[in-house]
Amino acid sequence: MTDTEKAKKTRQIFIVSDGTAITAETLAHSILTQFPDLHYHQTRIPFVNSVEKAVDTARRINAVEREEGLRPIIFTTFVEPDIMRTFNELVSGHIIDLFRKFVGPLETELGMKSEHSIGQTHRIRDDEKYQRRIAAIDYTLQHDDGQTNRGLDEADVILVGVSRSGKTPTSLFLAMQFGIKVANYPLIPEDFDRGTLPEALLPLRSKLFGLSIAPERLSEIRNERRPGSRYASLPNCQQEIHDAEDLMHREGIRWLNSTTKSIEEISATIMSELGLDKRKA
């Protein structure tokens, strides 16, 4: 197989860990985004926490290599040395050991050994932070899509934008990852006709952040929910986006276009713009 053929073929990516594999998946995603032309299929394999499971997993990945005819790329975060050695000896893909690329040099720099224990990333270290995160999730669910105006002043941020512009997933990400209380409020045609923000939001301008989206993408998303409706039609989406951006501009609301941005990027921008970085849970 030539290099050109390899580049065009879908590459198999495996995320393997003796824990949840969430940390490995996050790091792998950050790395893979640097290769925008790469076509790949990703498989996460968590809780490979015994030698027997390591053997089975290696055999599974090797079978994929034989079938595809192309070496898979494997990101790992094994803590247990015996499991790691067994897996590395048996698997034939290209292994990127994320822990040892970072932990070893850091041990040398700090002059201390790491704990080498599974699940450190997701352990509840601080009960107060944990409770704040739970409270933020509860608040955010209660204040999704403008369900209630009660307690809006308690929000750390209030997301505004037209329906289906990404407010709910961003709200939940901020609450779950950082313990930030988020309300989100839809901007609707009645607001545009009136030419002002909903009354409940007027005294809370400093907490507002807007999300917009390309009309074409908005139409696609809405058609998945209500196919063929005026709500999902491209002309209606174009008009709503135009009116929403115009309203946010007039009201001095900071906003961004979410079309090509990940939830992580959107959330980082919001936290930076509103000075919420210090509130990380």
Side-chain angles (χ1 to χ4, degrees):
M1 186 181 294
T2 67
D3 289 342
T4 301
E5 289 173 329
K6 286 182 180 180
K8 289 182 178 179
K9 191 167 184 179
T10 298
R11 201 72 178 252
Q12 297 297 322
I13 306 291
F14 289 92
I15 317 291
V16 187
S17 176
D18 45 14
T20 65
I22 292 173
T23 300
E25 188 171 40
T26 301
L27 288 168
H29 174 73
S30 297
I31 293 169
L32 292 170
T33 55
Q34 302 304 310
F35 301 90
D37 295 329
L38 176 66
H39 301 281
Y40 65 91
H41 177 268
Q42 181 175 304
T43 303
R44 179 161 62 94
I45 308 177
F47 306 119
V48 182
N49 50 15
S50 70
V51 170
E52 292 75 19
K53 289 181 180 179
V55 172
D56 289 342
T57 302
R59 288 172 177 167
R60 172 183 169 185
I61 293 173
N62 289 346
V64 171
E65 179 180 356
R66 287 194 297 272
E67 182 179 338
E68 298 283 332
L70 192 61
R71 256 201 330 171
I73 298 169
I74 308 163
F75 293 90
T76 68
T77 51
F78 286 117
V79 170
E80 292 294 333
D82 289 343
I83 298 174
M84 177 195 68
R85 277 194 295 271
T86 299
F87 180 80
N88 289 356
E89 288 171 2
L90 292 176
V91 81
S92 58
H94 177 74
I95 300 172
I96 301 173
D97 188 337
L98 295 167
F99 270 1
R100 278 152 190 82
K101 281 189 179 295
F102 301 113
V103 174
L106 194 55
E107 285 179 333
T108 301
E109 175 64 26
L110 296 174
M112 64 175 68
K113 288 291 183 181
S114 62
E115 289 194 12
H116 289 277
S117 58
I118 298 171
Q120 287 291 92
T121 305
H122 309 288
R123 180 177 295 172
I124 301 172
R125 295 173 177 269
D126 187 321
D127 187 62
E128 183 181 349
K129 286 184 178 180
Y130 178 73
Q131 293 303 325
R132 187 172 75 230
R133 193 175 299 186
I134 295 300
I137 295 170
D138 184 55
Y139 178 92
T140 299
L141 289 171
Q142 289 182 32
H143 292 81
D144 180 46
D145 204 30
Q147 291 182 70
T148 178
N149 294 337
R150 184 179 301 173
L152 273 180
D153 58 326
E154 297 175 20
D156 296 309
V157 58
I158 302 171
L159 298 182
V160 295
V162 300
S163 171
R164 316 303 287 182
S165 58
K167 299 185 301 299
T168 294
T170 303
S171 298
L172 289 172
F173 183 84
L174 285 166
M176 294 173 70
Q177 294 295 319
F178 305 115
I180 292 173
K181 290 183 177 180
V182 187
N184 74 73
Y185 218 97
L187 296 177
I188 58 177
E190 285 82 353
D191 299 321
F192 309 143
D193 292 340
R194 193 175 57 251
T196 61
L197 290 167
E199 187 176 350
L201 302 182
L202 292 175
L204 301 169
R205 279 189 178 86
S206 63
K207 296 186 176 187
L208 300 183
F209 195 93
L211 294 184
S212 190
I213 188 171
E216 294 78 11
R217 178 58 183 148
L218 180 63
S219 180
E220 289 176 6
I221 294 170
R222 288 183 172 183
N223 266 301
E224 291 173 4
R225 187 179 184 185
R226 291 167 56 182
S229 64
R230 181 181 181 279
Y231 164 79
S233 70
L234 181 57
N236 182 63
C237 291
Q238 289 171 329
Q239 187 63 55
E240 283 194 31
I241 290 296
H242 174 272
D243 291 344
E245 291 181 358
D246 186 53
L247 178 60
M248 290 188 287
H249 178 73
R250 289 201 314 272
E251 295 288 343
I253 299 171
R254 288 163 287 190
W255 61 278
L256 62 78
N257 190 305
S258 66
T259 309
T260 60
K261 296 184 183 298
S262 66
I263 290 178
E264 293 87 348
E265 289 178 289
I266 297 168
S267 299
T269 300
I270 292 169
M271 291 174 68
S272 176
E273 289 282 339
L274 299 183
L276 297 172
D277 300 76
K278 297 177 181 178
R279 286 290 314 281
K280 290 184 180 182

